[in-house]
Amino acid sequence: MAEVLEVAVVGAGPTGLWLACELALAGVRVEVFERRAEPVRESRALTLHPRSLEVLALRGLEGRFLEQGRPLPTGHFAMLDTRLDFSVLDTRFPYTLFIPQAVTEALLEARARELGVAVRRSHTVEALRQERDGVELEGAGDTGAFRIRARFVVGADGARSAVRRLAGIPFPGTDVTRTAMLGDVTLGAPPSQPAIGISNARGGVMVVPMAPGIHRIVVNDPLREQVPLRDPVTLEELRDSVTRITGRDFAMREPRWLSRFGNETRLAERYREGRVLLAGDAAHIHFPAGGQGLNVGLQDAMNLGWKLAAVVKNGAPEALLDSYSRERRPVGEALLTNTRAQTALMGATEETLALRSLLSDLLREPWLNRQLANNIGALDVGYAPLEVPAPEVDTPLLPGWSGRRLADMPLPQEDRAEVPLYAALHAGQWLLLGLGTDSSRPLPRWEPGWRPPVTRLRTRIPAAREDLQGLGGMLVRPDGHVACAWAA
Ligand SMILES: Cc1cc2nc3c(=O)[nH]c(=O)nc-3n(C[C@H](O)[C@H](O)[C@H](O)COP(=O)(O)OP(=O)(O)OC[C@H]3O[C@@H](n4cnc5c(N)ncnc54)[C@H](O)[C@@H]3O)c2cc1C
């Protein structure tokens, strides 16, 4: 008799681990099945962007990550000379946090285990069968074959997702047409600035800090962009390209990891097929430009976690799961567009260099720089109104608020210390927020026809937030986006 879980997550990368954390926080019986026996030591990703740090802060976890990373107040688009200024963004985290993926995964796995999630390593999923009320998974484990049943399965199993293939979800897009190289090395003569990008007619090189004493070098070398992905990179090859493009080799030595990666770009045709859902790289792959893939995966998981928990635990209609695809697939689509644009800008022809120079000039315009910084930092993601009944209010619902992301802010209390907005969301519940000075005014009833967990809080409107003046309250989703807001 196969064991029955509420949710089985396939893949213990950042997406699967964060999703498992969110589900376990809501009390869902969830297990993670991971093919690898051990965590990966090499780090593909190095960055956590503002919205991902907000996602972690929405659960009170940002401190663990900030302690282990290094903040830089900028980001980049296509390694253009004018960097994106994150310091002006409306967030508590106006920077890129440089933190190796291996560290991020270790912190996420620790959190998952604290919440009681079993992460079953050496478990490769090989077969999947959907039934009316559940999904059966089969695979190979370290102690032989395994078979489990779950009400829902999430494929967070990366670019070559078995779950996606077994669920019959097409993954259309474009093949690799060019490759680039990376090296994690010690630099005897590191650059004077913490992060640099050099682009010229010979190619492009980016050097960023990775860990004490280690830098990552990323190279786009037109003379080597047709080298197949499977060809191993050597230190001499990396040194040769870097020297030819920049005129120096930064005295690189002691490579920890050398790798080649490409611009294969694909998006899952849908993120849900019955009781199977996709998130992270299983749903979207692209050239790793702008440091976004891991970030978008975490944000997918944040969007899906509370919805899946609501269906499994609180009797929400399964239609709520369709809003996951509706909200997150356009974000995946936009990610593919921006990484394709960046890939095109990383060429070294005279025309591309002219375009780079023109765009770099344009990015000196503050509003344009800020718009792109918001985009790469994922602070500009908003959603259409969710089809969930609103609270019973006697004032009109206000247009333009539904789906909006809320930055953290201190909420003044009548007779107590201020509460940070995000602290009121740490438990992963909905937040029914009454705004205004009349503390005797009762909070509205909210009965959407299922049993959402709700925190109810009355607060005065923070003086600094002019945009909130005139609001009587709002209903905030567990992921920190507004569900709806009403007039005072
Ligand atoms: C060179 C490079 C640099 C990058 N830099 C950045 C960056 O700076 N910032 C950023 O945000 N992103 C970056 N990325 C992208 C980022 O690494 C990925 O987007 C991220 O790892 C996706 O996370 P995931 O959890 O969705 O998938 P993965 O990390 O791929 O995890 C999937 C997991 O599923 C497991 N799995 C696979 N098949 C099965 C199966 N059948 N059964 C059980 N388990 C299975 C795998 O072993 C793996 O552990 C970079 C990528 C590359 C290649």
Side-chain angles (χ1 to χ4, degrees), residues 445-467:
R445 274 161 33 117
W446 183 46
E447 289 174 5
W450 45 285
R451 306 172 307 280
V454 188
T455 300
R456 302 164 70 85
L457 189 68
R458 177 160 282 287
T459 169
R460 283 186 280 120
I461 296 176
R465 296 299 303 251
E466 271 181 27
D467 57 326

mmCIF file of all heavy atoms in Angstrom, residues 445-467:
data_model
loop_
_atom_site.group_PDB
_atom_site.id
_atom_site.type_symbol
_atom_site.label_atom_id
_atom_site.label_comp_id
_atom_site.label_asym_id
_atom_site.label_seq_id
_atom_site.Cartn_x
_atom_site.Cartn_y
_atom_site.Cartn_z
ATOM 1 N N ARG A 445 -16.394 41.511 8.337
ATOM 2 C CA ARG A 445 -16.405 40.035 8.245
ATOM 3 C C ARG A 445 -15.870 39.637 6.882
ATOM 4 O O ARG A 445 -16.114 40.301 5.884
ATOM 5 C CB ARG A 445 -17.848 39.540 8.366
ATOM 6 C CG ARG A 445 -18.265 39.365 9.816
ATOM 7 C CD ARG A 445 -19.778 39.321 9.963
ATOM 8 N NE ARG A 445 -20.495 38.733 8.868
ATOM 9 C CZ ARG A 445 -21.239 37.611 8.965
ATOM 10 N NH1 ARG A 445 -21.313 36.981 10.092
ATOM 11 N NH2 ARG A 445 -21.910 37.163 7.921
ATOM 12 N N TRP A 446 -15.143 38.545 6.860
ATOM 13 C CA TRP A 446 -14.693 38.005 5.568
ATOM 14 C C TRP A 446 -14.968 36.514 5.556
ATOM 15 O O TRP A 446 -14.331 35.763 6.299
ATOM 16 C CB TRP A 446 -13.211 38.285 5.341
ATOM 17 C CG TRP A 446 -12.764 37.795 3.988
ATOM 18 C CD1 TRP A 446 -13.409 37.979 2.801
ATOM 19 C CD2 TRP A 446 -11.602 37.010 3.685
ATOM 20 N NE1 TRP A 446 -12.723 37.369 1.776
ATOM 21 C CE2 TRP A 446 -11.607 36.768 2.293
ATOM 22 C CE3 TRP A 446 -10.562 36.495 4.452
ATOM 23 C CZ2 TRP A 446 -10.608 36.023 1.652
ATOM 24 C CZ3 TRP A 446 -9.568 35.759 3.818
ATOM 25 C CH2 TRP A 446 -9.593 35.532 2.428
ATOM 26 N N GLU A 447 -15.939 36.119 4.749
ATOM 27 C CA GLU A 447 -16.292 34.700 4.674
ATOM 28 C C GLU A 447 -16.343 34.293 3.210
ATOM 29 O O GLU A 447 -17.386 34.363 2.557
ATOM 30 C CB GLU A 447 -17.631 34.464 5.366
ATOM 31 C CG GLU A 447 -17.480 34.626 6.882
ATOM 32 C CD GLU A 447 -18.791 34.550 7.619
ATOM 33 O OE1 GLU A 447 -19.814 34.283 6.990
ATOM 34 O OE2 GLU A 447 -18.771 34.786 8.839
ATOM 35 N N PRO A 448 -15.203 33.919 2.662
ATOM 36 C CA PRO A 448 -15.154 33.658 1.220
ATOM 37 C C PRO A 448 -15.781 32.323 0.804
ATOM 38 O O PRO A 448 -15.760 31.987 -0.381
ATOM 39 C CB PRO A 448 -13.642 33.643 0.936
ATOM 40 C CG PRO A 448 -13.004 33.233 2.220
ATOM 41 C CD PRO A 448 -13.892 33.748 3.313
ATOM 42 N N GLY A 449 -16.325 31.566 1.774
ATOM 43 C CA GLY A 449 -16.910 30.274 1.400
ATOM 44 C C GLY A 449 -15.970 29.121 1.673
ATOM 45 O O GLY A 449 -16.289 27.969 1.398
ATOM 46 N N TRP A 450 -14.799 29.404 2.184
ATOM 47 C CA TRP A 450 -13.863 28.391 2.663
ATOM 48 C C TRP A 450 -13.197 28.948 3.915
ATOM 49 O O TRP A 450 -13.606 29.999 4.396
ATOM 50 C CB TRP A 450 -12.878 27.944 1.573
ATOM 51 C CG TRP A 450 -12.272 29.059 0.772
ATOM 52 C CD1 TRP A 450 -12.887 29.774 -0.201
ATOM 53 C CD2 TRP A 450 -10.944 29.597 0.903
ATOM 54 N NE1 TRP A 450 -12.034 30.731 -0.695
ATOM 55 C CE2 TRP A 450 -10.833 30.639 -0.048
ATOM 56 C CE3 TRP A 450 -9.846 29.300 1.692
ATOM 57 C CZ2 TRP A 450 -9.669 31.380 -0.205
ATOM 58 C CZ3 TRP A 450 -8.681 30.023 1.537
ATOM 59 C CH2 TRP A 450 -8.601 31.059 0.593
ATOM 60 N N ARG A 451 -12.224 28.262 4.479
ATOM 61 C CA ARG A 451 -11.745 28.642 5.818
ATOM 62 C C ARG A 451 -10.301 29.161 5.784
ATOM 63 O O ARG A 451 -9.385 28.477 6.240
ATOM 64 C CB ARG A 451 -11.813 27.428 6.745
ATOM 65 C CG ARG A 451 -13.201 26.766 6.804
ATOM 66 C CD ARG A 451 -13.143 25.454 7.581
ATOM 67 N NE ARG A 451 -12.128 24.528 7.093
ATOM 68 C CZ ARG A 451 -12.255 23.732 6.035
ATOM 69 N NH1 ARG A 451 -13.363 23.736 5.316
ATOM 70 N NH2 ARG A 451 -11.271 22.917 5.662
ATOM 71 N N PRO A 452 -10.095 30.356 5.238
ATOM 72 C CA PRO A 452 -8.711 30.860 5.199
ATOM 73 C C PRO A 452 -8.237 31.231 6.606
ATOM 74 O O PRO A 452 -9.019 31.765 7.392
ATOM 75 C CB PRO A 452 -8.819 32.110 4.326
ATOM 76 C CG PRO A 452 -10.235 32.540 4.453
ATOM 77 C CD PRO A 452 -11.052 31.330 4.712
ATOM 78 N N PRO A 453 -6.984 30.973 6.942
ATOM 79 C CA PRO A 453 -6.468 31.449 8.217
ATOM 80 C C PRO A 453 -6.218 32.958 8.116
ATOM 81 O O PRO A 453 -5.591 33.417 7.158
ATOM 82 C CB PRO A 453 -5.145 30.683 8.366
ATOM 83 C CG PRO A 453 -4.756 30.308 6.976
ATOM 84 C CD PRO A 453 -5.979 30.268 6.133
ATOM 85 N N VAL A 454 -6.729 33.719 9.075
ATOM 86 C CA VAL A 454 -6.671 35.191 8.965
ATOM 87 C C VAL A 454 -6.120 35.807 10.245
ATOM 88 O O VAL A 454 -6.541 35.448 11.339
ATOM 89 C CB VAL A 454 -8.080 35.798 8.718
ATOM 90 C CG1 VAL A 454 -7.964 37.291 8.410
ATOM 91 C CG2 VAL A 454 -8.806 35.087 7.605
ATOM 92 N N THR A 455 -5.183 36.734 10.095
ATOM 93 C CA THR A 455 -4.767 37.594 11.200
ATOM 94 C C THR A 455 -5.542 38.894 11.049
ATOM 95 O O THR A 455 -5.624 39.446 9.949
ATOM 96 C CB THR A 455 -3.247 37.891 11.098
ATOM 97 O OG1 THR A 455 -2.558 36.659 11.152
ATOM 98 C CG2 THR A 455 -2.781 38.800 12.218
ATOM 99 N N ARG A 456 -6.121 39.375 12.142
ATOM 100 C CA ARG A 456 -6.921 40.611 12.093
ATOM 101 C C ARG A 456 -6.199 41.676 12.900
ATOM 102 O O ARG A 456 -5.801 41.437 14.036
ATOM 103 C CB ARG A 456 -8.313 40.333 12.644
ATOM 104 C CG ARG A 456 -9.039 39.221 11.869
ATOM 105 C CD ARG A 456 -10.230 38.698 12.638
ATOM 106 N NE ARG A 456 -11.294 39.673 12.688
ATOM 107 C CZ ARG A 456 -12.219 39.850 11.747
ATOM 108 N NH1 ARG A 456 -12.204 39.093 10.671
ATOM 109 N NH2 ARG A 456 -13.142 40.765 11.860
ATOM 110 N N LEU A 457 -6.029 42.846 12.303
ATOM 111 C CA LEU A 457 -5.221 43.880 12.953
ATOM 112 C C LEU A 457 -5.788 45.251 12.632
ATOM 113 O O LEU A 457 -6.142 45.524 11.481
ATOM 114 C CB LEU A 457 -3.787 43.770 12.405
ATOM 115 C CG LEU A 457 -2.695 44.592 13.059
ATOM 116 C CD1 LEU A 457 -2.431 44.085 14.475
ATOM 117 C CD2 LEU A 457 -1.395 44.476 12.242
ATOM 118 N N ARG A 458 -5.899 46.094 13.671
ATOM 119 C CA ARG A 458 -6.313 47.484 13.412
ATOM 120 C C ARG A 458 -5.095 48.369 13.656
ATOM 121 O O ARG A 458 -4.348 48.181 14.618
ATOM 122 C CB ARG A 458 -7.474 47.889 14.317
ATOM 123 C CG ARG A 458 -7.886 49.328 14.137
ATOM 124 C CD ARG A 458 -9.276 49.611 14.628
ATOM 125 N NE ARG A 458 -10.317 49.165 13.707
ATOM 126 C CZ ARG A 458 -10.608 49.762 12.550
ATOM 127 N NH1 ARG A 458 -9.914 50.807 12.133
ATOM 128 N NH2 ARG A 458 -11.583 49.325 11.797
ATOM 129 N N THR A 459 -4.880 49.327 12.786
ATOM 130 C CA THR A 459 -3.691 50.181 12.887
ATOM 131 C C THR A 459 -4.021 51.579 12.386
ATOM 132 O O THR A 459 -4.974 51.756 11.614
ATOM 133 C CB THR A 459 -2.536 49.581 12.059
ATOM 134 O OG1 THR A 459 -1.500 50.541 11.959
ATOM 135 C CG2 THR A 459 -2.966 49.223 10.660
ATOM 136 N N ARG A 460 -3.227 52.543 12.844
ATOM 137 C CA ARG A 460 -3.365 53.872 12.247
ATOM 138 C C ARG A 460 -2.566 53.898 10.936
ATOM 139 O O ARG A 460 -1.678 53.075 10.743
ATOM 140 C CB ARG A 460 -2.847 54.924 13.225
ATOM 141 C CG ARG A 460 -3.883 55.179 14.330
ATOM 142 C CD ARG A 460 -3.488 56.319 15.236
ATOM 143 N NE ARG A 460 -2.529 55.892 16.221
ATOM 144 C CZ ARG A 460 -1.307 56.401 16.361
ATOM 145 N NH1 ARG A 460 -0.886 57.372 15.580
ATOM 146 N NH2 ARG A 460 -0.490 55.954 17.290
ATOM 147 N N ILE A 461 -2.878 54.842 10.079
ATOM 148 C CA ILE A 461 -2.162 54.913 8.798
ATOM 149 C C ILE A 461 -0.792 55.532 9.042
ATOM 150 O O ILE A 461 -0.702 56.604 9.651
ATOM 151 C CB ILE A 461 -2.965 55.731 7.769
ATOM 152 C CG1 ILE A 461 -4.280 54.995 7.470
ATOM 153 C CG2 ILE A 461 -2.162 55.946 6.491
ATOM 154 C CD1 ILE A 461 -5.214 55.733 6.554
ATOM 155 N N PRO A 462 0.294 54.870 8.600
ATOM 156 C CA PRO A 462 1.614 55.451 8.811
ATOM 157 C C PRO A 462 1.689 56.838 8.173
ATOM 158 O O PRO A 462 1.290 57.019 7.019
ATOM 159 C CB PRO A 462 2.557 54.473 8.093
ATOM 160 C CG PRO A 462 1.766 53.216 7.907
ATOM 161 C CD PRO A 462 0.325 53.599 7.884
ATOM 162 N N ALA A 463 2.193 57.817 8.943
ATOM 163 C CA ALA A 463 2.186 59.206 8.477
ATOM 164 C C ALA A 463 2.928 59.355 7.153
ATOM 165 O O ALA A 463 2.538 60.141 6.281
ATOM 166 C CB ALA A 463 2.804 60.093 9.553
ATOM 167 N N ALA A 464 3.993 58.583 6.969
ATOM 168 C CA ALA A 464 4.823 58.751 5.772
ATOM 169 C C ALA A 464 4.142 58.198 4.514
ATOM 170 O O ALA A 464 4.620 58.419 3.409
ATOM 171 C CB ALA A 464 6.158 58.045 5.986
ATOM 172 N N ARG A 465 3.050 57.437 4.672
ATOM 173 C CA ARG A 465 2.463 56.775 3.506
ATOM 174 C C ARG A 465 1.268 57.545 2.977
ATOM 175 O O ARG A 465 0.118 57.220 3.263
ATOM 176 C CB ARG A 465 2.080 55.341 3.874
ATOM 177 C CG ARG A 465 3.254 54.459 4.237
ATOM 178 C CD ARG A 465 4.235 54.314 3.080
ATOM 179 N NE ARG A 465 3.610 53.800 1.898
ATOM 180 C CZ ARG A 465 3.817 52.573 1.422
ATOM 181 N NH1 ARG A 465 4.677 51.780 2.026
ATOM 182 N NH2 ARG A 465 3.203 52.161 0.339
ATOM 183 N N GLU A 466 1.574 58.558 2.164
ATOM 184 C CA GLU A 466 0.496 59.379 1.601
ATOM 185 C C GLU A 466 -0.452 58.546 0.753
ATOM 186 O O GLU A 466 -1.645 58.817 0.677
ATOM 187 C CB GLU A 466 1.099 60.487 0.746
ATOM 188 C CG GLU A 466 1.396 61.706 1.584
ATOM 189 C CD GLU A 466 1.976 62.821 0.776
ATOM 190 O OE1 GLU A 466 1.712 62.889 -0.428
ATOM 191 O OE2 GLU A 466 2.710 63.624 1.376
ATOM 192 N N ASP A 467 0.109 57.518 0.104
ATOM 193 C CA ASP A 467 -0.726 56.726 -0.802
ATOM 194 C C ASP A 467 -1.820 55.954 -0.052
ATOM 195 O O ASP A 467 -2.780 55.505 -0.658
ATOM 196 C CB ASP A 467 0.139 55.746 -1.606
ATOM 197 C CG ASP A 467 0.956 54.827 -0.723
ATOM 198 O OD1 ASP A 467 1.396 55.268 0.357
ATOM 199 O OD2 ASP A 467 1.149 53.660 -1.097
#
